[in-house]
Amino acid sequence: MRIVDPTSGTAPEDTVAVVAAADGAAGALCGLSNSKPGAHDILAAIGRRLADDHGLGPNGLEAKPSAAVGADPALLDHLAAQYRLAVVAIGD
Amino acid sequence: MTDVLDLPDVDDAWAWTAACEERGWGDGLPTVPPTEERVAAMLAALPPDLPHLGPLPPRGVTPTLRSVAANAVMAGCRPADLPVVLAALDAVQDEAYNLHGTLATTHPCAPMVLVSGPVCDALGINAGGNCLGQGTRANAVIGRALSLVLLHVGGARPGVLDRSTQGSPAKYTFCFGESDSPWESLAVRRGFGADEGVVSVMAAEPPHNVNDHGSTTGAEILLTVAGTMAQPGSNNVYVRGPHLLLLGPEHAATLHRDGWTPDTIRAHLWEHARIPVSHVSAGNRRQFVEWGVEPDGDAYTVSDAPENLHLAVAGGAGKHSAWIPSFGGTALVSRRVP
């Protein structure tokens, strides 16, 4: 049976790679909070454990301006330029 | 790049359902295979002046008319239903609707589709008894088609990019008609003509019933409505945003008889639907402050302005109405059906 793919459409433009800054916090880990009450705490704890147990750091902590909207592309570009890895809190 | 897939050995309904499951397609209920012929029949019936479709979050893929039609076929739509689906899809893409946030949230909101105007009779969209329930094809398939587009093209897959904690039955389908009203219809009050077909969408919770068999005046009915709306677990309390009062026709008739209008009803409920501070936990009060929400005296308002309460009439005989809160970070968006 020949069907029309219900998932089909025009794919978004390829993601543009952003070069991490050569100084400042570049090379570090970032926690990105969805700005809900529990997310900040758990990300801060994860950052401390990664630093203490694995020597990863310095670690940053950033947040979306509102839990009700997606992260703005400008925020993601900023994170990409400042950090090499981001941990996103998906719990509340 | 072709959008046609050749799936051998799925001519049987059971095999088709299994094939959908393997691919992660569908909402759990059986679907109609979107064959090229069925999709072509859908597209052949489309009128001119169709809305422009943009990329759908969270995946960012832009649907084609063919992929929307394929999802409409899967949902069980008839060709005549597709323009309503397209109008609803256009409406949820309005920036104010906040499609990304409403699809990815832990909140159980679903895309509510309220249809107004002659298109309801033309398509058999139920605005009467059990209009929010099962039993009417148009209601079932139009809302379902929109949800399937957002699932398949947008990628809002439960447990993956749809992070809803519990979800809700409304996520299967949430479409109903606006019935004759003692006042101007919601669509007319929003600037459309009475002869136009209009869809109004909002990222909404399922309806909260308002049972009032005892009241005999409009003021008494509004006391019950205000009490139903004044609950501290709603997103509207601190995210604010729109909510909808869907009056059953008997409650609406009593209110109209007593001289109430949509504007006076909204103003009255704004003043009287209040949540006592004592009903809100200390931790929640702190969170509300972070959202910029403080109590007005010894109570919280249910949203940020009377204008955010929308009002429509639907349903059959009986003394029931419904309050439909929203995700909060959304808007009621209306579009003309092409």
Side-chain angles (χ1 to χ4, degrees):
Chain A
M1 181 167 58
R2 288 169 61 84
I3 65 159
V4 175
D5 183 353
T7 70
S8 60
T10 307
E13 293 179 5
D14 290 340
T15 302
V16 178
V18 178
V19 178
D23 52 8
L29 177 76
C30 172
L32 175 59
S33 166
N34 64 358
S35 83
K36 289 188 177 181
H40 181 94
D41 293 343
I42 195 170
L43 285 169
I46 289 172
R48 285 195 301 272
R49 288 291 299 273
L50 288 171
D52 294 345
D53 297 351
H54 302 283
L56 292 175
N59 300 314
L61 190 55
E62 307 259 1
K64 293 193 301 176
S66 167
V69 298
D72 188 89
L75 172 62
L76 299 179
D77 288 345
H78 163 73
L79 297 181
Q82 295 296 315
Y83 303 100
R84 294 196 177 279
L85 184 66
V87 177
V88 180
I90 59 172
D92 289 350
Chain B
M1 189 178 72
T2 181
D3 62 357
V4 175
L5 301 175
D6 193 0
L7 305 181
D9 305 322
V10 294
D11 291 331
D12 166 76
W14 296 105
W16 163 251
T17 300
C20 287
E21 277 190 287
E22 288 172 9
R23 288 166 174 77
W25 295 350
D27 53 13
L29 293 169
T31 59
V32 177
T35 61
E36 290 183 281
E37 295 77 15
R38 290 177 179 136
V39 170
M42 282 275 175
L43 297 175
L46 281 176
D49 299 326
L50 299 172
H52 171 76
L53 300 175
L56 291 177
R59 201 162 65 112
V61 171
T62 301
T64 63
L65 281 178
R66 282 169 60 86
S67 62
V68 176
N71 282 283
V73 170
M74 290 181 77
C77 286
R78 305 154 297 180
D81 298 323
L82 185 55
V84 182
V85 176
L86 285 166
L89 185 58
D90 181 37
V92 299
Q93 291 199 275
D94 189 297
E95 187 175 355
Y97 180 91
N98 186 19
L99 186 58
H100 190 149
T102 62
L103 290 175
T105 179
T106 52
H107 185 259
C109 58
M112 181 200 81
V113 181
L114 167 56
V115 188
S116 308
V119 69
C120 290
D121 284 342
L123 298 181
I125 295 171
N126 185 8
N130 206 41
C131 61
L132 294 166
Q134 83 289 15
T136 306
R137 179 176 179 179
N139 297 40
V141 301
I142 291 170
R144 188 188 189 200
L146 177 61
S147 291
L148 289 182
V149 172
L150 299 177
L151 169 68
H152 292 144
V153 184
R157 185 164 306 289
V160 184
L161 293 175
D162 176 345
R163 304 300 305 179
S164 184
T165 303
Q166 294 181 313
S168 82
K171 282 175 174 273
Y172 283 100
T173 182
F174 194 178
C175 173
F176 57 99
E178 179 179 18
S179 75
D180 290 338
S181 164
W183 308 287
E184 287 185 322
S185 72
L186 174 73
V188 169
R189 280 183 275 120
R190 291 174 66 79
F192 294 91
D195 59 343
E196 290 185 298
V198 177
V199 298
S200 297
V201 300
M202 182 177 80
E205 291 184 15
H208 297 214
N209 187 52
V210 183
N211 175 338
D212 190 338
H213 284 71
S215 297
T216 57
T217 69
E220 287 183 314
I221 290 169
L222 292 182
L223 180 65
T224 308
V225 172
T228 305
M229 290 167 55
Q231 53 109 335
S234 157
N235 268 31
N236 288 109
V237 177
Y238 70 101
V239 186
R240 316 308 252 169
H243 47 145
L244 173 69
L245 175 60
L246 192 63
L247 288 168
E250 294 188 16
H251 284 167
T254 301
L255 285 157
H256 181 258
R257 180 204 67 195
D258 289 354
W260 293 89
T261 67
D263 283 343
T264 59
I265 290 171
R266 295 200 297 193
H268 181 86
L269 291 172
W270 170 253
E271 291 296 333
H272 292 86
R274 297 290 170 113
I275 304 156
V277 172
S278 60
H279 292 193
V280 179
S281 72
N284 250 355
R285 275 180 252 155
R286 286 193 294 274
Q287 196 203 356
F288 293 177
V289 170
E290 291 176 6
W291 282 79
V293 175
E294 302 274 3
D296 180 11
D298 59 357
Y300 288 92
T301 56
V302 295
S303 185
D304 51 352
E307 293 73 24
N308 269 332
L309 176 62
H310 300 280
L311 189 147
V313 178
K319 303 288 189 184
H320 294 270
S321 292
W323 176 55
I324 303 178
S326 78
F327 173 58
T330 183
L332 185 83
V333 178
S334 299
R335 290 286 189 276
R336 186 182 63 81
V337 177

